[in-house]
Each structure stands twice: as C-alpha cells, then as structure tokens.
Amino acid sequence: MPGTVPSLKRIHVSETENIINCIKENGCLIIKNFTTPEVVDQINAETRPYLDKDKPWKGDLFPPETRRCPRLVARSKAFRENLLVAPIVSALTAEFVDKTTSNFYGETQHTYTSKAIMSISTTMEIGPGGKAQRLHRDDKNYHVDHKDQTQTGYQKHSDVELSFLIPGIDTTIENGATQVIPGSHLWDNNRVPLFEEVDYAVMNKGDAYVMLGSTYHAGGANQTTDTKRPMHGMFFCRGYMRSEENQYLIHSPEEVMSWSPEAQRIMGYTVSAPNIGFVDFIDPGKYLSGDYDPDNLHDFDPSQEVKPWNVK
C-alpha cells in the first residue's frame, strides 16, 4: 500500500556489512563516496563524444531526449580501471549474484561457483524535457518468477542481477533522479508498483545507486530547461546466463548471415524478449547484416506500450 514502503537509505562505501544488510532489507540504497568526483569527471569526458553522436530513440524504451553510450567498459578507461574492479562491487556481486552449488560427479561431490559477469555497461544521459520511464524491474529480461517475501524476509539466491548507477553530476528530482520503490524486491509478480510509493535517488557526484534486479525503479523526468543528466551504469547478472559453448566467438559474421533466420534464432543471434542480446541497442541479425538505420532505432519488443501509464 502507498506510504508503507521504506525510504531510500544512504551508507558510506566503507560499511560493507551495513550495505549488504540494507540491500537485503530494501533491495537498494545509495553508497556514499563510492568513487571520487575526479574519476567521474574522467568518465564524463571519455563518454561525451559518443553521447553527442547518439540519436533519439524511436519507441518507449528511452525518451527521445535520452542519449546513450554503450560499450562503456571499452570506451572509458577510468570506468574500467576504477569502478568495474572496485572492491565493493566484487563484495556485493559475490553476495547477491554469484551462485555456488554442489553436485556429484560419479561418487565424488564437487562444488562449483559461477561468478557474476557484466550484462551491460552503458551511459544514459537524460536531456531537458525528458519524460520518466515506467516503473519496472530490470530482471524482467530474465523472466524471473518472484515469490512473495514480505513475510519471510529476503531469501538468498532469489535474485539474478545487481546494478550500479553512478551519476555524472549531482542528481536532483528536477534533473531526473532515479525513481525507486525500496522494499519492492520482496513483492511477488502480481503486485502493481504505484507512483505514490516512489522515493528518489538524489545523489552527489561520486555516490552510486545500487539495486537488485527485482527492485522497481524508473529513470526520472528531467524537468529542467538547460541541464543534461548523465548516468554511468553497470549491470551484472549470473555467470551461467549464457550458452555453454561460446558460439559468438566461433562463427564468423559471414557464416551466420548464410544461415536461415530460424537457425540464427536458435543459435542466439536474435533478441530474447524483451531486451536481451542486442548490440549497441541494435538487433544482432540486423547488426551483422548492416540492415539498420543508426539514426532510427526502435524498441525490440512490439508489446512495449507507447506511453507511460503510471507517470503523473
């Protein structure tokens, strides 16, 4: 019910245990002093050329005022060498995303740990006038069946994704601070997220917003007339969420394009609905064939709604 959700908490990066406990309780938090403003400035500078070249999105996935810089790990050395490998990132992905199981191989029991991998790294910049996204869970892409945990408390291994959002500038409600519903990671699939339950990830440059894939959130509306709000994101998923054989390194683009569309689909060269498997926000088959207009990119899933339904 509106008014019953907890507020978004803020904890210093040095307090690892408190951060972990907060994520278990609320599904999200703001980590204070996650990095330095100077590192963020470097990332801003490295991503700026790509953001300036990007074009408006044609669809509901992003507001037309949003600009994107995919391949962030490759395009920003500062991001790669400072944020990607930060100790707190490893600690949190180990706690919430890594998966360890034991199985018998013959009569010998073996224990295996699948470590988290990067699902996507990208910068998203909301320009003046950009509308808010719909409230959503990022793990919709992985078709997770959520069970109600409001009575039991958070159950370990119930999430498959953990995300970090690092603002390029101080974020405010006015310039598009992320909307979030703390505690929504405990909801089942049937509970509807309401705008009245939202809190805002207001941050200083150097902070980071962290959330489980099951936490309802949305990019905020940029109500300013002159401020661009960049957000540098890294989204981790379980390491086994990929094919056993790394076919993407085996087959040449020419081989793949000689296959039938159905063969391409079976081998993973299409987008899994709603948004898994794209390349620079382009369908992989179209990317390989060159049959796309980089200035006219659309939603992958035709079931996407045209307009947000819960934005006031």
Side-chain angles (χ1 to χ4, degrees), residues 3-311:
T4 63
V5 296
S7 60
L8 187 59
K9 295 184 178 179
R10 292 159 172 79
I11 301 177
H12 192 270
V13 68
S14 63
E15 301 180 47
T16 303
E17 184 175 353
N18 288 338
I19 289 172
I20 289 173
N21 289 334
C22 183
I23 294 174
K24 290 178 180 178
E25 293 175 5
N26 288 0
C28 56
L29 84 160
I30 290 172
I31 298 180
K32 299 295 296 180
N33 300 106
F34 175 79
T35 188
T36 66
E38 291 74 21
V39 167
V40 175
D41 286 339
Q42 292 178 50
I43 301 172
N44 289 344
E46 290 168 333
T47 56
R48 176 48 52 195
Y50 302 98
L51 295 171
D52 287 346
K53 289 192 301 184
D54 193 36
K55 304 296 183 181
W57 187 263
K58 310 292 185 182
D60 186 58
L61 190 58
F62 300 105
E65 295 83 5
T66 295
R67 298 294 179 269
R68 296 153 296 277
C69 173
R71 309 191 196 190
L72 183 54
V73 167
R75 288 170 168 170
S76 172
K77 180 179 179 181
F79 179 88
R80 184 174 63 251
E81 296 188 354
N82 292 277
L83 307 191
L84 179 66
V85 297
I88 188 63
V89 172
S90 298
L92 297 185
T93 55
E95 177 69 28
F96 293 102
V97 188
D98 292 3
K99 185 67 181 295
T100 299
T101 55
S102 295
N103 296 276
F104 281 94
Y105 193 53
E107 296 183 4
T108 305
Q109 189 175 41
H110 293 262
T111 299
Y112 312 97
T113 298
S114 178
K115 291 186 173 293
I117 59 173
M118 181 70 72
S119 177
I120 179 175
S121 62
T122 186
T123 296
M124 296 166 285
E125 181 178 77
I126 301 178
K131 304 299 183 183
Q133 291 180 310
R134 289 172 288 152
L135 289 165
H136 62 281
R137 284 168 156 162
D138 279 349
D139 66 9
K140 68 184 185 301
N141 289 325
Y142 298 112
H143 297 261
V144 177
D145 292 318
H146 292 285
K147 309 298 181 183
D148 180 68
Q149 301 179 66
T150 56
Q151 301 302 314
T152 63
Y154 184 72
Q155 302 297 297
K156 191 174 178 65
H157 301 314
S158 59
D159 272 272
V160 301
E161 186 176 16
L162 185 73
S163 305
F164 297 75
L165 296 175
I166 302 92
I169 62 172
D170 291 350
T171 62
T172 64
I173 294 176
E174 290 72 28
N175 69 21
T178 300
Q179 302 174 358
V180 56
I181 304 180
S184 58
H185 67 308
L186 303 177
W187 300 355
D188 63 21
N189 285 343
N190 297 316
R191 182 165 173 178
V192 178
L194 301 176
F195 181 77
E196 290 77 10
E197 300 172 288
V198 157
D199 201 347
Y200 292 87
V202 174
M203 291 184 278
N204 297 122
K205 187 164 63 174
D207 295 342
Y209 167 68
V210 183
M211 65 179 171
L212 294 168
S214 55
T215 303
Y216 276 106
H217 69 287
N222 188 335
Q223 305 169 54
T224 71
T225 59
D226 58 359
T227 302
K228 296 179 179 179
R229 191 231 62 186
M231 190 72 73
H232 309 297
M234 48 185 171
F235 303 77
F236 295 90
C237 67
R238 286 189 177 168
Y240 58 76
M241 288 181 160
R242 49 182 164 172
S243 56
E244 186 170 352
E245 181 180 56
N246 197 330
Q247 58 219 21
Y248 309 110
L249 294 181
I250 296 172
H251 309 294
S252 69
E254 293 75 20
E255 283 182 285
V256 175
M257 295 314 301
S258 71
W259 302 343
S260 69
E262 182 64 5
Q264 291 178 10
R265 183 195 66 77
I266 292 171
M267 294 299 288
Y269 289 88
T270 56
V271 171
S272 171
N275 302 314
I276 288 291
F278 58 78
V279 183
D280 292 346
F281 298 103
I282 301 164
D283 179 278
K286 293 182 178 180
Y287 179 84
L288 288 178
S289 68
D291 182 23
Y292 65 91
D293 179 356
D295 297 338
N296 192 28
L297 301 181
H298 294 265
D299 292 343
F300 305 109
D301 188 341
S303 70
Q304 293 276 4
E305 296 177 76
V306 175
K307 295 181 180 180
W309 60 270
N310 64 348
V311 175

